[in-house]
Amino acid sequence: MADELREGSPFTARVFGLGVLLCLLISATDPYATAYLQGSMMALDFSTEAALFLLFLVSAANILLRSLRPGLAFRREELAVIYAMMVTACALPTMGLMLYILPGITALGYYTTPENGWQDLIHPHVKPWMVVDDPL
């Protein structure tokens, strides 16, 4: 119980390092699984199944680490910081942000045709930094 009550901030470099690695894992795999494979919805919108799954793996590794090297094991507060980082990472790469932005910035160029006249009706009112203007 005494090691659970160690003094110190849970915001350490190793916590941020592991949290960033797990966030990168979520951010790299979730859009692929959701948009391309149209399969796993582990982090779609604000659901946090991916964060819970990774927290389970980290906790299992932490139990093993605690039995081998108790001084290196993560405390509860540190695990909470890692989990909070992963919950945030679950929302951003999919419906929380990116699944709306990517189609929005490319749709104007993709759907503009001579028949619908968007080149004259819409394009003059859109700032160049808001859309992708590369025709390829």
Side-chain angles (χ1 to χ4, degrees):
M1 185 75 169
D3 61 331
E4 293 291 330
L5 300 175
R6 287 183 292 185
E7 294 295 323
S9 173
F11 304 103
T12 61
R14 70 185 190 128
V15 169
F16 280 119
L18 181 60
V20 166
L21 285 175
L22 294 173
C23 289
L24 287 173
L25 179 67
I26 291 171
S27 297
T29 57
D30 184 44
Y32 176 76
T34 303
Y36 183 73
L37 294 179
Q38 296 182 357
S40 172
M41 304 296 181
M42 291 289 287
L44 185 63
D45 201 13
F46 298 105
S47 61
T48 59
E49 289 89 356
L52 287 172
F53 175 71
L54 291 174
L55 181 66
F56 173 76
L57 293 180
V58 169
S59 297
N62 197 45
I63 291 170
L64 180 64
L65 187 61
R66 186 172 303 248
S67 66
L68 298 174
R69 302 277 311 255
L72 293 178
F74 290 104
R75 296 177 290 144
R76 291 180 190 172
E77 300 86 9
E78 293 173 327
L79 291 173
V81 170
I82 293 169
Y83 177 67
M85 291 173 70
M86 289 189 297
V87 166
T88 304
C90 283
L92 296 179
T94 58
M95 292 179 71
L97 181 67
M98 292 308 292
L99 284 183
Y100 293 119
I101 286 182
L102 292 178
I105 63 175
T106 58
L108 185 62
Y110 183 77
Y111 291 112
T112 298
T113 64
E115 292 81 20
N116 63 18
W118 285 10
Q119 186 69 32
D120 299 323
L121 293 173
I122 298 175
H123 281 260
H125 304 289
V126 177
K127 304 248 187 261
W129 59 265
M130 293 176 64
V131 295
V132 176
D133 61 354
D134 187 5
L136 300 174

